């Protein structure tokens, strides 16, 4: 029975045949690694994900974390299967899979780490969230915290004894972080280790894993404002600093101390992602008096007023993580509907309707194959983009030359809003198609696909909404460093175009690759002109009015590029004589690429025409006209 | 406070300014009616929907109908608010709103009846389902049942004492009704009123309102096969007959008799539409022995072997009903997000980011207006299409000449798959945008919009899936009567084009209407050519391979037509000097039309190019390549 989480054959293709992850083993950081060690880690991940994460995915959807009154404050209860799964994950050492040996890690490349993560997310996005928030939190502290903060908070997180959160949003400040009002007043008392101690007060909203019974302590990373000399908060993002606020204070020897004054005010109840507790947290409400005083004790991370910049280390990682989550939810939905389509008999061919003959598996209907092929194109395309971006993180961190690292960084910065947003849009569409393939069954909670659809709908909202990433791409990224990020992308796409145009000149597939290369090159030229036209509008309100459409058009061009990259590899393998299951696999890649170039990329035309015309339909719309 | 169900201003516009429903009052059937009587009925519907249907919409989502063991079989319990709402609806005489006076009806036009229905569906689609299934069932029996069947089953349904269902699908036969295996064996015993009695046995799946505690009796309309002389079932649709199977037998005097042998086997648990019990029913399982014998007693409706044709009276009505439900879920989601956008402060303009200034309502952000305008274009466009189709039903039933009735029938037949499918696709998209406007709040069950999104996703599945309506449109409707249906549509669209091109030649808006008229005319010409090209392919597998895409392209053209129709009226009213709120309303209609012609109609280009190329990407895809 083939896994319905992810296709291992595809993972092998992406890692070893396309992204050449084995080449990383030449670099000092990864020199102990080989394809065998990568595969062993992936085997472990697939096994634990299959055995311990997937089985309770539906149960945690139906039996959400719930708040119960504790002795002093509300507590959150979570079904025991979650802790069992997390323990297995921690026990296998996976929390620190990408970390340095000295932190107890395995020094796996980010690209491989993302594949491990993909298995867990495909199996159970809610349970996995507790882990990934912890990893993101720990990575932020590794970058910006003091050695003492690393010792006291990061090490226990990698050991799975503490879990982490990121506390940004407030009820009145979601997308607009400059408007947060949580304050951090300097405490005259010094922290135990001499670091400056603050007292935090305020409310934080949408805090995933903000309270639970899964780990001994919770390390909150909190954005708050240090007031000026007049005691007032500085308006805007400049006033924001970053703090560690542990649920329990941590003693010098690492044991847990007093309960800190951060408490659960209530849970949000989401349409999907129900297994992750999502909390409204009160800081400094007075339920607890750590060190005999009001206010949640917090420790400054990095410099004051640099909070947003420090947190953005975590945000960029989180954004690729969101794209990855969206991609694999699309992917597992695709595999579920593929299995259903092969096994569900229903109907006959339009040209052979004899009802005395047995019904055909629905795979035999062209429209069902359309829905499967679209899902394949969306989810495999999205996963390719996510792993390509992850490979860029590896390049950024370990490439041999500063130029190569800088180039990777530029590409990565440009691609981040797309890697976050494109899967969040199109893999929800894939999940919708997975439901449609199942017909009425797919719409019921007796099957799995409706949950994927609900879970996945979150991804266009959190870690920056779709609209905000449009503004990030068109308003910042394309113009940054005098267009250097855009140029990095364009140069890279052109390399693929050249490679595709000259690949296997003798082979029958080469003509088609050339056609696709031409189409991609034309789309790239077109969006370059359109970008210039948008900036020539001379009014940023007009330039940015349709930024979401720009993001979507650029996303389709980028994913077309990802498909052409894959097609070149697949065509090469077929030209080299691949046979049997392998040949079928490569044919599938080529057909999905064909689908993308025939059905999807042409959609960009209408978007680019609209953008080029500096369309003001939405800008001109007035409140009173609604 | 403006209603968040539907805009009454828009309803007035659609009924009186556009569809000229008042003109129907010239016809004998509607001669007692006037704009005042229509408005009084709409007032009543809006009031009851607002007061009794909307308030428990969330509660029935959270506390679904559940099965409990009864004395002899499973029974279904439903929260009491549902019965209270249904009682009010029944008490207001609305079940028979469109029926003849002699049946206790009001003889309202179908167009007005659909507006009443729209208010209830917008308020609570689940509770409303019990009513509309009953009306559909009753209408079917009125068309095909005997006077005695009407007396015994239909009258109690219009009085709200009995509710009705339609039992088509079986676990192994959903879309493929030819494969049903429920059998109906002739019973040697005569029915009480001399009608031939049958004994039914089999299982029916997805039966909405199949069991509940809301009415004294349930009248199931059941498709089953009468075996041939050899005792075997005839394969295919030809063997299918239609039967009345009441939950309780009905005595000559209308009182309830014995419990019939149709029992609940279990409930399906859906992603949305949770308030409607959705049942697996067993017929003739032996739990009850009516008249001392096994088998559920059923009474033949109409002629044997005509079951599918008889049921299709109900199906066509149900399909327009599905489109209407999808449209108004889109509509209420739009109004919810509009209200949120006006009241939620968040962020500032890109060009004026001073954080010391207060935040703006999110309506001020262009991307939010885009999402609202798209919702307006989708949901108002969909509602226009639904009411236009309903107006055709009125024409088909009451137009003065046979030619006019036939013309309306052709248009209606052509539009039915579109009226069902287009809202089911685009108003889910509208609901997704309503969530997006709400940000994280929209994703929680503390707000309403996520439920609309879940509820609405059903509509592309039931009453014929999206793919099946594609086949119906391209495979049947366009070719029927030598293309007469297509010609009827094309002729009607051209009339609008001519009207738009010649409207208000002095007015500033006329140039824009002409541009839109030209675009619509061009799209119509194009799809006409593409249809011919598809039929010239010479292989029905190729012709029909991309029928879903054809349905979508035709849908966008049809809705562009609906928008141009509305724009002509709005431009006329502005030219005539509309002012104040009225002027704003008409400007909104024009802006939504503009949006549709600039942002939506051009999407058809890519679809038509794909179709014209007789693309075989999906047809060629092989199972082994997935």
């Amino acid at each position: 029975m083939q896994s319905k989480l992810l296709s291992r054959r595809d993972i092998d293709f992406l890692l070893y045949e396309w992204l050449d992850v084995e080449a990383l083993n030449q670099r000092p950081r990864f020199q102990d690694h080989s394809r065998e060690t990568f595969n062993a880690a992936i085997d472990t991940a697939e096994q634990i994900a299959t055995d311990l994460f997937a089985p309770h995915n539906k149960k945690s959807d139906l039996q959400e974390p719930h708040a119960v009154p504790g002795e002093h404050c509300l507590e959150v209860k979570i079904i025991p299967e979650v802790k069992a799964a997390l323990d297995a994950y921690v026990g296998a050492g996976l929390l620190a899979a990408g970390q340095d040996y000295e932190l107890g890690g395995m020094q796996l490349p980010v690209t491989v780490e993302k594949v491990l993560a993909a298995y867990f997310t495909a199996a159970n996005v809610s349970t996995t969230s507790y882990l990934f928030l912890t990893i993101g939190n720990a990575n932020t502290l590794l970058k910006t915290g003091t050695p003492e903060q690393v010792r006291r908070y990061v090490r226990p997180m990698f050991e799975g004894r503490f879990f982490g959160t990121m506390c940004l949003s407030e009820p009145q400040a979601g997308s607009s972080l400059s408007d947060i009002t949580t304050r951090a007043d300097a405490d005259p008392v010094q922290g135990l280790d001499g670091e400056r101690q603050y007292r935090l007060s305020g409310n934080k909203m949408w805090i995933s894993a903000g309270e639970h019974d899964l780990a001994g302590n919770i390390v909150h990373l909190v954005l708050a404002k240090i007031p000026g000399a007049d005691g007032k908060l500085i308006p805007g993002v400049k006033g924001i600093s970053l703090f560690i606020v542990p649920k329990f204070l941590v003693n010098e020897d690492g044991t847990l101390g007093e309960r800190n004054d951060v408490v659960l005010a209530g849970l949000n109840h989401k349409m999907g992602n129900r297994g992750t507790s999502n909390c409204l947290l009160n800081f400094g409400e007075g339920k607890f008096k750590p060190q005999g005083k009001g206010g949640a004790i917090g420790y400054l991370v990095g410099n004051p007023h640099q909070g947003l910049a420090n947190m953005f280390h975590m945000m960029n990682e989180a954004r690729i993580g969101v794209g990855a989550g969206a991609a694999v939810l699309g992917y597992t939905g695709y595999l579920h509907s593929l299995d259903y389509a092969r096994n569900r008999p229903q109907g006959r061919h339009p040209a052979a309707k004899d009802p005395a003959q047995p019904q055909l598996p629905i795979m035999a209907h062209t429209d069902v194959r359309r829905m499967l092929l679209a899902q394949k194109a969306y989810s495999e395309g999205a996963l390719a983009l996510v792993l390509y971006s992850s490979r860029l993180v590896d390049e950024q961190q370990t490439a041999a030359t500063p130029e190569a690292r800088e180039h990777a960084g530029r590409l990565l910065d440009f691609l981040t809003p797309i890697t976050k947003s494109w899967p969040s849009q199109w893999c929800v569409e894939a999940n919708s198609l997975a439901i449609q393939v199942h017909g009425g069954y797919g719409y019921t909670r007796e099957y799995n696909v409706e949950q994927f659809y609900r879970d996945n709908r979150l991804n266009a909202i959190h870690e920056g909404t779709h609209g905000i990433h449009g503004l990030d791409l068109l308003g910042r990224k394309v113009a940054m460093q005098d267009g250097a990020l855009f140029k990095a992308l364009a140069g890279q796409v052109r390399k693929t175009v050249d490679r595709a145009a000259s690949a296997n000149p003798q082979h029958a597939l080469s003509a088609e690759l050339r056609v696709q290369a031409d189409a991609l090159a034309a789309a790239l030229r077109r969006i370059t002109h359109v970008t210039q036209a948008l900036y020539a509008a001379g009014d940023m309100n007009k330039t940015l009015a349709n930024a979401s459409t720009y993001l979507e058009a650029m996303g389709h061009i980028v994913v077309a590029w990802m498909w052409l990259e894959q097609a070149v590899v697949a065509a090469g393998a077929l030209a080299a004589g691949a046979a049997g299951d392998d040949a079928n696999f490569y044919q599938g890649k080529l057909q999905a690429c064909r689908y993308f170039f025939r059905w999807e990329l042409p959609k960009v035309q209408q978007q680019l025409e609209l953008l080029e015309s500096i369309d003001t339909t939405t800008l001109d719309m007035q409140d009173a006209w609604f």
Side-chain angles (χ1 to χ4, degrees), chain A:
Chain A
M1 163 87 196
Q2 214 193 326
S3 170
K4 283 195 271 190
L5 299 181
L6 295 169
S7 156
R8 185 65 178 266
R9 179 66 187 84
D10 190 28
I11 297 290
D12 284 347
F13 172 81
L14 295 170
L15 287 184
Y16 304 123
E17 299 179 56
W18 176 44
L19 294 172
D20 194 16
V21 172
E22 283 177 277
L24 290 171
N25 304 339
Q26 305 302 316
R27 299 181 185 167
R29 181 175 176 82
F30 308 121
Q31 63 187 354
D32 298 340
H33 282 293
S34 63
R35 183 160 175 165
E36 285 65 38
T37 63
F38 295 159
N39 282 345
I42 298 172
D43 289 343
T44 303
E46 181 170 358
Q47 192 77 47
I48 299 176
T50 305
D51 294 348
L52 288 164
F53 280 68
H56 71 277
N57 193 39
K58 189 179 287 295
K59 186 174 174 188
S60 25
D61 182 64
L62 295 170
Q63 299 177 29
E64 287 170 277
H66 59 285
V68 294
E71 198 179 342
H72 299 290
C73 59
L74 285 176
E75 291 172 1
V76 171
K77 297 293 169 199
I78 293 176
I79 58 166
E81 288 86 346
V82 175
K83 175 111 177 80
L86 297 175
D87 284 349
Y89 182 98
V90 169
L94 292 169
L95 263 173
Q99 303 298 330
D100 297 355
Y101 294 137
E102 61 175 40
L103 281 162
M106 301 183 193
Q107 291 194 185
L108 280 170
V110 171
T111 315
V112 176
E113 203 188 5
K114 283 286 172 220
V115 169
L116 309 185
Y119 272 101
F120 290 102
T121 313
N124 191 320
V125 65
S126 292
T127 296
T128 305
S129 295
Y130 297 100
L131 301 164
F132 294 171
L133 285 161
T134 300
I135 294 172
N137 178 311
N139 281 339
T140 305
L141 285 178
L142 279 178
K143 286 223 178 65
T144 54
T146 64
E148 177 56 23
Q149 288 171 338
V150 169
R151 185 183 73 81
R152 210 175 280 201
Y153 306 105
V154 175
R155 285 184 172 273
M157 284 199 275
F158 284 135
E159 292 160 10
R161 295 188 291 113
F162 297 0
F163 280 174
T165 73
M166 51 199 291
C167 301
L168 288 75
S169 300
E170 301 180 3
Q172 82 295 347
S175 295
S176 181
L177 286 172
S178 62
D179 292 281
I180 64 167
T181 59
T182 295
R183 59 187 288 149
D185 292 284
D187 195 336
V189 179
Q190 294 286 101
L192 279 179
D193 56 352
E195 69 187 343
R196 191 63 193 250
Q197 186 167 298
Y198 290 78
R199 294 282 178 165
L200 275 75
S201 54
N203 312 303
K204 289 289 177 181
M205 184 69 165
W206 308 119
I207 310 309
S208 288
E211 183 55 63
H212 53 72
D213 53 4
L214 302 170
N217 201 2
I218 302 176
V219 180
H220 300 290
L221 274 181
V222 184
L223 292 183
K225 290 185 174 177
I226 302 171
D230 59 357
K232 288 187 182 160
L233 300 184
I234 304 166
V237 296
K238 293 192 194 77
I240 300 175
S241 303
L242 182 63
F243 299 88
I244 295 170
V245 181
K247 177 177 170 184
F248 292 97
L249 303 184
V250 180
N251 298 322
E252 174 63 32
D253 63 358
T255 57
L256 297 188
E258 267 188 289
R259 178 70 160 83
N260 202 357
D261 193 18
V262 46
V263 298
L264 179 71
L267 292 174
N268 299 304
H269 298 91
K270 293 184 173 179
M271 175 168 71
N273 262 265
R274 295 188 180 191
T276 308
S277 64
N278 189 274
C279 308
L280 177 60
L281 294 180
N282 288 349
F283 291 79
E285 187 189 43
K287 276 266 174 21
F288 297 95
K289 306 263 183 205
Q291 299 174 3
K293 243 181 68 174
I297 291 177
Y299 310 105
L300 186 66
V301 180
N303 293 322
H305 311 302
Q306 297 295 317
L308 218 51
N310 291 335
M311 187 59 109
F312 260 83
H313 292 299
M314 188 171 178
M315 289 293 286
N316 278 328
E317 185 181 328
R319 284 168 175 181
I320 296 176
V322 167
V328 300
L329 278 171
Y331 209 122
T332 187
Y334 159 54
L335 295 180
H336 276 77
S337 63
L338 179 58
D339 183 63
Y340 187 83
R342 282 175 169 152
N343 292 297
R344 165 78 175 172
Q346 194 75 183
R348 293 163 190 85
H349 277 303
K353 283 190 171 175
D354 177 4
Q357 294 302 312
Q359 300 194 70
L360 298 170
I362 59 171
M363 169 69 85
H365 302 301
T366 310
D367 197 53
V368 171
R369 288 205 301 284
R370 170 185 70 85
M371 295 190 280
L372 293 170
L373 189 53
Q375 287 180 72
K376 181 179 168 75
Y378 298 152
S379 56
E380 291 183 10
L383 184 60
L385 176 59
V386 165
L387 293 184
Y388 187 91
S389 297
S390 305
R391 186 72 169 77
L392 290 174
V393 179
D394 280 321
E395 287 303 298
Q396 189 184 28
Q397 292 176 351
T398 67
T401 66
E403 292 73 26
R405 293 197 291 276
E406 189 183 47
H407 177 70
R410 283 174 172 162
L411 259 177
L412 180 63
D413 278 349
F414 192 87
L415 288 176
T416 297
I418 299 163
T419 306
K420 192 272 177 186
S421 301
W422 196 91
S424 299
Q425 178 175 12
W426 290 98
C427 292
V428 176
E429 180 60 28
N431 289 147
S432 179
L433 292 171
I435 291 175
Q436 196 70 19
V437 168
H438 282 76
Y441 291 96
Y443 190 69
T444 67
R445 282 124 66 204
E446 280 75 17
Y447 284 69
N448 291 322
V449 287
E450 64 86 29
Q451 186 182 346
F452 303 147
Y453 180 68
R454 284 186 292 111
D455 286 354
N456 215 349
R457 182 62 188 80
L458 176 60
N459 289 316
I461 300 172
H462 65 167
E463 308 306 341
T465 63
H466 194 73
I468 280 178
H469 285 285
L471 294 174
D472 179 48
L473 182 66
L474 181 58
R476 294 180 63 241
K477 298 295 173 62
V478 303
M480 264 167 87
Q481 299 175 31
D482 235 0
L485 279 59
F486 194 134
K487 279 176 203 142
L489 184 274
Q492 209 65 26
V493 171
R494 273 193 297 269
K495 277 189 201 167
T496 308
V497 164
D498 292 344
R499 208 144 30 87
S502 63
N504 321 304
Q506 287 82 9
H507 198 270
L509 292 166
S510 62
E512 185 173 19
L513 286 180
R514 266 197 299 279
V515 169
Q516 291 167 350
D518 287 347
L520 180 59
L524 179 67
R525 279 195 303 274
R526 188 75 208 288
I527 202 165
T528 307
H529 290 306
V530 167
T531 308
Q532 289 160 349
L534 283 166
Y535 269 86
D539 170 352
M540 279 312 273
N541 284 320
K542 285 186 181 173
T543 302
L544 297 178
N546 305 318
S548 294
T549 301
Y550 185 87
L551 173 69
E552 293 173 13
M554 185 65 87
H556 252 50
I557 292 171
V558 163
V559 176
W561 168 42
M562 292 291 105
W563 271 113
L564 189 58
E565 280 272 320
Q566 295 182 75
V568 169
V569 177
L574 283 169
D581 286 350
D582 268 345
N584 282 329
F585 173 81
Y586 296 123
Q587 291 289 3
K589 283 287 181 194
L590 291 175
Q591 194 71 1
C593 180
R594 218 165 268 147
Y595 169 85
F596 206 90
F597 275 84
R598 290 180 185 169
W599 285 64
E600 296 293 335
L601 185 60
K603 291 179 181 171
V604 168
Q605 185 71 13
Q606 174 259 339
Q607 296 173 316
L608 294 180
E609 278 170 21
L610 189 74
L611 288 162
E612 196 166 35
S613 74
I614 318 291
D615 182 80
T616 59
T617 312
T618 56
L619 194 63
D620 297 341
M621 183 67 187
Q622 297 180 20
D623 186 343
W625 296 356
F626 281 113

